[in-house]
Amino acid sequence: MRTEERLRDAIPPRTILLVAGVLLLQLGFILSYVGAFHSPSPSGVRLAVVGPQATVQRLDALPDDPLEVEPAASEAEVRQRILDREVSAGFVVARTGTTDRLLVASAAGPALATAVEQVVTQVENAQRRTVQVVDLVAPEAGDARALTGFYAVVGWLVGGYLAAAALAIARGARPATLQRTLIRLGAMVPYAVLSGLGGALILDQWLHALAGHFFALWWIGALLTFTAATVTMALQVLFGVLGVGLTVLIFVILGNPSAGGAYQAELLPTFWRVIGGALPNGAGTEALRNYVYFSGHATTRPLLLIAIWGAAGLLVTLAGSLLHLRRAAQREPVSEGRHAKHEA
């Protein structure tokens, strides 16, 4: 056997293409994570300000637009808007003295709260004033850096797409019958329920990281798991084994760094800031934080987004399977005709 034939026997051309795809995913992983995190800086952080118009204009005119300043009538209004997740922070200028107040909610992301504090402090120092930071909503004791929700979302999404990928490995990426497609989709329902339940037990009952929100954690986790599973199935039906790579691209390479975990959206470069709000990773992280720390305010949009992804994955899986089966049925008469001619 010649060397070329030995190489082809050991590493078929199809395998070379798959390895090349893995290399691209690997490089994409490095580019996405380093690109998102290498130089975090605030941009367009919504800040409600109670104070003179000159202060509002000064904060709103800072270089590179770190703040999006919105005037407010009172400190009570600022507090409520922060708790309702309408703004990220608030600044109240003292009527007497030189010490002003910066209101933040570090449970929404300590990195963002720190970044706003640094920006405001620089402005205050230039005016020979000082700032007192008031944390309205701090992370729970078991969630020191407010990262528990993010890592939980990652776990649920990974579980969903690995379960779907495992079914593909066992019986093929494209189901041979519509019945098999329906069974696979149906199997993901109890799996998602158990996945959400297990995650909630760990977060609430075992580690006490996000205590007191058991049922919310359960069903948000179940929704995320099912969504990841249906999207993975849809991509596998459309693209075969390449669908797994596309799933990794969406949920791992693009979704995780843009989800607002370690660095919130306002601290990320434009590309990651834009896509973060449109992917299940970011939506899940936002929904968990807002439900746990902000009485469920501003959770409708992220939960609806996750549900849309899940429904789209479900519909594409069914439609793609029907199309694949129809094409397979159309090829069968041709194959049978060729076989009969060969026998004759």
Side-chain angles (χ1 to χ4, degrees), residues 62-301:
L62 293 174
D64 299 323
D65 297 321
L67 304 175
E68 183 179 324
V69 180
E70 304 175 16
S74 65
E75 181 174 337
E77 177 189 335
V78 171
R79 286 174 174 265
Q80 192 59 52
R81 294 183 68 185
I82 292 173
L83 296 178
D84 290 345
R85 306 302 294 131
E86 295 178 4
V87 296
S88 297
F91 183 62
V92 181
V93 178
R95 294 183 178 180
T96 60
T98 60
T99 301
D100 304 320
R101 291 158 65 84
L102 176 65
L103 310 181
V104 298
S106 62
L112 180 60
T114 300
V116 175
E117 179 183 350
Q118 291 173 345
V119 172
V120 172
T121 299
Q122 289 178 358
V123 175
E124 289 283 89
N125 290 340
Q127 300 298 313
R128 296 183 179 180
R129 300 179 68 87
T130 58
V131 61
Q132 176 190 9
V133 179
V134 179
D135 195 349
L136 300 181
V137 187
E140 295 182 8
D143 185 24
R145 300 296 297 171
L147 287 172
T148 298
F150 165 68
Y151 287 121
V153 168
V154 171
W156 279 316
L157 290 175
V158 168
Y161 70 70
L162 286 182
L167 289 178
I169 293 173
R171 289 293 183 179
R174 295 186 173 100
T177 65
L178 180 61
Q179 183 182 32
R180 186 174 292 178
T181 299
L182 294 172
I183 291 175
R184 284 188 184 184
L185 288 170
M188 287 298 98
V189 174
Y191 176 84
V193 172
L194 289 174
S195 176
L197 174 61
L201 286 171
I202 292 171
L203 296 173
D204 186 354
Q205 302 296 309
W206 186 5
L207 299 179
H208 306 291
L210 297 176
H213 305 279
F214 179 80
F215 288 102
L217 294 172
W218 181 356
W219 293 111
I220 291 175
L223 177 61
L224 285 165
T225 302
F226 184 76
T227 293
T230 60
V231 170
T232 303
M233 287 186 179
L235 292 173
Q236 288 176 150
V237 167
L238 293 177
F239 303 104
V241 69
L242 294 178
V244 176
L246 292 175
T247 301
V248 172
L249 175 65
I250 293 172
F251 291 121
V252 179
I253 295 177
L254 296 178
N256 285 346
S258 65
Y263 294 111
Q264 288 63 62
E266 295 90 340
L267 302 177
L268 299 176
T270 302
F271 174 76
W272 289 269
R273 186 166 63 248
V274 170
I275 67 171
L279 296 177
N281 308 58
T285 302
E286 181 183 358
L288 277 179
R289 280 178 174 160
N290 289 350
Y291 197 96
V292 171
Y293 289 114
F294 299 95
S295 303
H297 289 293
T299 57
T300 301
R301 189 205 68 83

